[in-house]
Amino acid sequence: MDRNLTILTTESRHERTMNIDAENTADILRIMNEEDQKVAVAVNAVLPDIEATVEYVVQSLKAGGRLIYIGAGTSGRLGVLDAVECPPTFSTHPSAVQGIMAGGAGAFTKAAEGAEDSEEGGVQDLQRIELTSADTVIGIAASGRTPYVIGALRYAKSIGAKAIALSCNENAAISQVADRAIEVIVGPEILTGSTRLKSATAHKMILNMISTASMIKLGKAYGNLMVDVNVSNYKLKERAVGIIEKVTAAPYEEAKKALEEANNEVKTAIVMIKTQTTVEEARTLLEKNDGYVRKAIERSK
């Protein structure tokens, strides 16, 4: 083992779980649950860094740039998970939020652990998608020292893209090559070094916060409703009609008809009903107000 690895919080032995192999099932689960409750507290401590990251992401997406998650192993998979949910939830273009893994797409289902050791690999993967200065790159590594992520963040920063480091160790190596660092300290894992546990849970929470808050700031929500949901199947169409009903108080059939006239654009249907306008007029109102439903309705009066 790399001797530098042993001093990391994520590699430290948890005093409380030294004899966990001798515990009964109920106690193992109780210990895990109690440790998991510490994750939200740790995330709370880094909210200012998450806020700054959201602002970077919003700036990038408004300017036509992209949000790129990049990592290896569990960290990379978490980025992919968050990225692939953005198009159905927020109707973003598939290229707008991307998750890149060391070892390529195949590494999502089959571990390719050696791929994380190449700094050049991180550079090449960002070059492959033609990274630009308009993009924001979030490098994810629980240990904070993965060469693949270090290379990626260093390259991103060198071309003017925003580089964000997300780790679970203080003064992480990836933090040193980033514009902003999110170091969420969740403490030792119950199984030493198994960062698929608390570390991954913390990172999943943070990635959810970054993408969701960014999309809200971009007008993808009205109140707490997903008004830019991609209507791609029956279930989502029914959800869309329900959203329109909630916002407009229109009966089911009227809401459904408006959605169909708006070519399944929920925001357009809402503005049509709320402002008593045509499809084209509603779209124009949305365009003039940067896609924000609330602004389009208020400024139509």
Side-chain angles (χ1 to χ4, degrees), residues 182-262:
I182 305 173
E183 297 177 343
V184 55
I185 312 303
V186 296
E189 302 287 1
I190 69 150
L191 291 179
T192 306
S194 185
T195 52
R196 53 181 276 275
L197 300 174
K198 288 190 298 183
S199 296
T201 300
H203 284 178
K204 177 69 164 62
M205 290 174 67
I206 290 170
L207 297 182
N208 283 168
M209 294 170 83
I210 291 169
S211 58
T212 303
S214 296
M215 295 303 165
I216 291 171
K217 297 280 286 182
L218 290 167
K220 301 284 187 178
Y222 180 80
N224 61 359
L225 298 172
M226 297 183 290
V227 292
D228 221 1
V229 64
N230 182 27
V231 181
S232 59
N233 58 35
Y234 177 79
K235 179 191 78 173
L236 291 175
K237 184 171 183 178
E238 287 301 299
R239 177 181 292 168
V241 173
I243 289 170
I244 296 166
E245 289 180 282
K246 289 182 179 72
V247 174
T248 65
Y252 176 87
E253 289 301 329
E254 182 183 348
K256 182 180 178 183
K257 181 183 178 189
L259 180 65
E260 290 171 348
E261 288 180 359

Side-chain angles (χ1 to χ4, degrees), residues 70 118-128 148 151-152 155:
I70 190 163
S118 170
E119 285 195 25
E120 185 58 29
V123 175
Q124 291 173 348
D125 282 349
L126 291 183
Q127 290 176 333
R128 176 178 51 79
Y148 176 83
Y155 173 71

